[in-house]
Amino acid sequence: MAHCSSTIRTVIDEDFVNSSSDLCILANVHFSDGSPVRREPEVRYLGCYLNEASSVDKELNQRIAVCMQILRKLHIFWRHSECPDAVKLLALEAVLRSKLLYGLASLQLNPTHMERSDTFQLKGYRKILRMETTYVNRANTNA
């Protein structure tokens, strides 16, 4: 079990302050045996990556990559099953949307991140509905 000392000291690293104009606050956190808790620049906690910069990019990239693998694995189901498109769309929503968005509700997503997740969702819709990509047919916009 980790303990935090009662004094929190402010450490000012010249390179850090010059690059981001922020202060880094470190606490003297240690285990009950006195050994210090190792600091990591990035950790995985409850299925999400947390880093010192609070950047969402790596987490979102990793989730989209996993969902793309699942989308490719379900290609046979999307293209060759006898299910109506409505059932396929429900499967897309149930599997891929939950896989992509689980745990992201607590993150601050900027418009670029939201656009990337929307684009991925539209890619799934186009695959199910047998529509060409926007690169091939400009009438199929992402709007």
Side-chain angles (χ1 to χ4, degrees), residues 6 17 22-23 25 34 38 40 46 59 74 76 91 96 98 104 109-110 113-114 118 121 123 134:
S6 60
V17 171
D22 289 332
L23 297 178
I25 299 176
R38 187 179 68 208
E40 294 288 334
L46 297 177
E59 178 68 22
L74 291 172
I76 294 172
L96 293 176
S98 62
L104 290 182
L109 297 177
N110 63 30
H113 296 133
M114 295 174 72
D118 290 343
Q121 186 177 17
K123 190 178 290 189
T134 56

Side-chain angles (χ1 to χ4, degrees), residues 70-83 88 127 130:
I70 294 171
L71 189 68
R72 285 188 199 107
K73 287 180 182 178
L74 291 172
H75 177 77
I76 294 172
F77 174 67
W78 304 139
R79 294 296 180 146
H80 305 294
S81 71
E82 298 295 324
C83 296
K88 294 176 187 178
K127 187 176 270 289
R130 294 178 175 85

Side-chain angles (χ1 to χ4, degrees), residues 27-141:
N28 184 13
V29 180
H30 58 278
F31 292 102
S32 58
D33 65 354
S35 62
V37 174
R38 187 179 68 208
R39 288 185 53 90
E40 294 288 334
E42 183 173 81
V43 295
R44 189 156 178 89
Y45 179 71
L46 297 177
C48 296
Y49 284 105
L50 303 174
N51 57 35
E52 292 176 340
S54 300
S55 174
V56 188
D57 294 329
K58 184 174 182 179
E59 178 68 22
L60 191 62
N61 290 342
Q62 186 262 342
R63 286 177 183 254
I64 289 176
V66 167
C67 288
M68 281 301 295
Q69 290 174 350
I70 294 171
L71 189 68
R72 285 188 199 107
K73 287 180 182 178
L74 291 172
H75 177 77
I76 294 172
F77 174 67
W78 304 139
R79 294 296 180 146
H80 305 294
S81 71
E82 298 295 324
C83 296
D85 287 342
V87 172
K88 294 176 187 178
L89 291 171
L90 284 174
L92 177 76
E93 292 292 316
V95 176
L96 293 176
R97 188 173 185 195
S98 62
K99 184 75 172 169
L100 178 65
L101 298 179
Y102 177 75
L104 290 182
S106 61
L107 295 177
Q108 180 67 35
L109 297 177
N110 63 30
T112 305
H113 296 133
M114 295 174 72
E115 183 179 319
R116 287 184 58 218
S117 65
D118 290 343
T119 301
F120 173 76
Q121 186 177 17
L122 290 171
K123 190 178 290 189
Y125 291 156
R126 283 193 299 267
K127 187 176 270 289
I128 291 171
L129 300 174
R130 294 178 175 85
M131 296 174 72
E132 295 175 328
T133 65
T134 56
Y135 181 76
V136 174
N137 185 353
R138 295 292 181 188
N140 297 337
T141 63

